[in-house]
Each structure stands twice: as C-alpha cells, then as structure tokens.
C-alpha cells in the first residue's frame, strides 16, 4: 500500500453458510432456519484493480429473533462505521497514500459520514446513496436538486455482461453538487453528490444510474469520472475467487 498513490478500501458483507454442520456458535442467515455467520471484510485494491489484500474483517453470528420478531444483539450497521475507523487508523501510517473507503447503498448512513467528519477525514469515503435526503432551507430533496444542475459532460465505459444482461457500451451524463449535511457537533460538513445517469440506453434496458456521495470535491468532469471509476471497482469484492478465499 505504501507504494500506491491511491488505495481503494472496498467493504461489503457476505454469508458463511454452515447449514447442516455440527458447529457451535452459529446464528441465522437470510432465513432463520439457515445456520452460519456473517463476514464483513475490507478488501484493498488499486484503481487499476490490482489486489493488495484484506485489511480487516468483522465477523459475527446473529441471535435468533425474539417473540416480538425483534433481533437482539449488536447493532449490525456499526460494521460500516467501524470499518471506516480501521481504515482511518491505517491512514496515519500511510501519509503518502490516499485511502478511499468505498461501499454500496447499505453504507448510506449519516452516522458514518458524521464519524468520518469528527475524525477529521483521515481517509476519504465514497458511498453509493440510498436515501433522497431533505436539504436545510430547500424545497427540493437532494437528488431532485442535483438533477437540475448543468451537466459537467459525459463518461463512457464498457459494462460487462451478467445473467440476464448483455454487455454494452454505456454513456453517462455527469452532474455534481456540493451540499451540507449535519455534523455530530451541531454544525455541518460538506459533501459532494454525484449523479451519473445513462443516456440513450438500448431499447428495453433501464438506464444505468448511480448516485454517489463523497467528502471530496468534484468540480470537473475528470474528478467526477474518477469517482465513478473507483466505485465501479467495488464489484471486485463480490468476485467468486475472493469470496472463496475469505470463506477458506
């Protein structure tokens, strides 16, 4: 990592299915009858997708739901915040390397962004947005307001095929907006919202649209395109070889 100008620290959660095995300490998975554990790793890659290793792993077994259908135990969303904290600790030892926390929509948690701000943002963060938040003093919500801004330009890339979808060239129109979110201390902190929406998708295909949030500014098309490219690297953590390696 020391030899890299930028390292993307990818986070996601997977299930380790030990159903049917005589193993103690397991908990429910997607279904209550399934038995296993959950694993939330941090996987480091370069923007060129060169794998550097696993930095951290949060593992836990869920408790069974109670009579009211509630699940006792730890608040599972904490794994996203703690994952950032571990990356922030690494950043102090890597002053020449820019660490970027990258996660999908499940990490769109205001408390996570507030924690990063409170720590002084020792590592950058890049998160795919799930929520269309209200903005203080604005009638439009966040993504409605971003959609009204002038586009910075267009970004094109090849979208690989997957089950039920053919590969194709994608052209996305890029828009960005700098907004303020409430901080832990009662103040605010700056966030950039990036809207990348496909134009002229093939007939019958839904336009590919990504809504991203980051602490970094994105005033130019080049800067915004970098963040989209970095987010596209997030799928590296979902690759089959990595999943098998972590499970082993």
């Amino acid at each position: 990592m020391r030899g890299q100008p930028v390292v993307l620290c990818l986070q996601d959660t997977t299930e380790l299915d030990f159903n049917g095995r005589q193993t103690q300490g397991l908990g429910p998975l997607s279904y209550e009858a399934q038995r296993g554990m959950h694993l939330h790793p941090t996987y480091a890659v370069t923007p060129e997708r060169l794998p550097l290793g696993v930095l951290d792993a949060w593992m836990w077994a869920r408790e069974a739901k109670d009579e009211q259908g509630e699940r006792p135990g730890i608040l599972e969303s904490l794994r996203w915040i703690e994952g950032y904290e571990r990356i922030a600790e690494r950043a102090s030892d890597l002053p020449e390397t820019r660490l970027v926390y990258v996660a999908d929509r499940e990490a769109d948690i205001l408390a996570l962004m507030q924690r990063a701000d409170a720590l002084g943002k020792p590592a950058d963060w890049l998160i795919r947005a799930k929520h269309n938040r209200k903005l203080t003093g604005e009638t439009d919500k966040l993504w409605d307001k971003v959609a009204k801004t002038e586009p910075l330009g267009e970004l094109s890339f090849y979208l690989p095929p997957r089950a039920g979808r053919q590969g194709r060239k994608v052209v996305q129109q890029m828009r960005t907006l700098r907004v303020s979110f409430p901080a832990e201390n009662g103040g605010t902190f700056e966030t950039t919202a990036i809207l990348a929406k496909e134009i002229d998708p093939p007939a019958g295909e839904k336009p590919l649209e990504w809504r991203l949030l980051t602490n970094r500014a994105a005033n130019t098309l080049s800067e915004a395109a970098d963040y989209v490219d970095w987010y596209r690297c997030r799928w590296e953590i979902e690759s089959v070889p990595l999943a098998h390696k972590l499970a082993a």
Side-chain angles (χ1 to χ4, degrees), residues 28-241:
L29 298 177
S30 298
Y31 303 97
E32 289 298 299
Q34 285 180 296
R35 311 301 294 172
M37 300 187 73
H38 285 80
L39 174 68
H40 185 85
T42 302
Y43 179 46
V45 303
T46 68
E48 296 75 32
R49 307 194 182 198
L50 175 68
L52 301 177
V54 178
L55 304 181
D56 180 45
W58 216 58
M59 187 180 293
W60 74 101
R62 284 177 172 170
E63 296 186 32
K65 291 182 179 180
D66 58 25
E67 295 179 355
Q68 287 73 41
E70 301 293 330
R71 193 181 306 282
I74 60 172
L75 185 63
E76 293 184 0
S77 61
L78 291 176
R79 68 190 186 276
W80 299 100
I81 300 173
E82 185 171 314
Y84 179 86
E85 292 174 338
R86 300 291 79 77
I87 295 170
E89 292 169 356
R90 297 264 182 172
S92 62
D93 297 326
L94 299 165
E96 304 300 321
T97 302
R98 178 178 173 185
L99 301 186
V100 186
Y101 173 106
V102 183
D104 65 6
R105 284 175 287 198
E106 198 174 352
D108 184 9
I109 304 168
L110 184 59
L112 165 60
M113 304 175 222
Q114 290 173 331
R115 181 59 176 156
D117 178 70
L119 291 173
K121 297 181 286 293
D124 293 331
W125 49 265
L126 176 64
I127 297 168
R128 186 172 180 182
K130 178 180 180 181
H131 305 293
N132 194 12
R133 292 180 170 86
K134 293 182 179 179
L135 298 174
T136 303
E138 299 281 352
T139 55
D140 287 334
K141 290 188 176 181
L142 171 61
W143 296 108
D144 303 315
K145 188 173 179 64
V146 177
K148 293 180 179 180
T149 63
E150 287 295 318
L152 294 176
E154 296 176 358
L155 170 68
S156 63
F157 56 87
Y158 177 72
L159 184 68
R162 70 179 187 189
R165 184 189 71 193
Q166 293 184 343
R168 69 176 188 269
K169 179 182 177 180
V170 171
V171 178
Q172 288 183 321
Q173 198 169 61
M174 308 287 290
R175 288 179 167 86
T176 67
L177 182 67
R178 196 73 168 162
V179 297
S180 295
F181 284 173
E184 283 185 342
N185 61 8
T188 61
F189 64 91
E190 295 270 292
T191 305
T192 299
I194 302 171
L195 177 60
K197 185 172 183 179
E198 184 178 12
I199 56 177
D200 297 325
E205 291 283 356
K206 184 179 179 181
L208 183 65
E209 180 176 326
W210 290 324
R211 301 176 176 186
L212 306 177
L213 297 171
T214 179
N215 61 292
R216 302 285 297 195
N219 298 316
T220 66
L221 175 62
S222 177
E223 289 174 333
D226 279 344
Y227 300 138
V228 172
D229 286 341
W230 291 356
Y231 181 74
R232 290 174 57 217
C233 293
R234 194 201 68 81
W235 275 269
E236 293 297 302
I237 200 171
E238 298 187 12
S239 68
V240 172

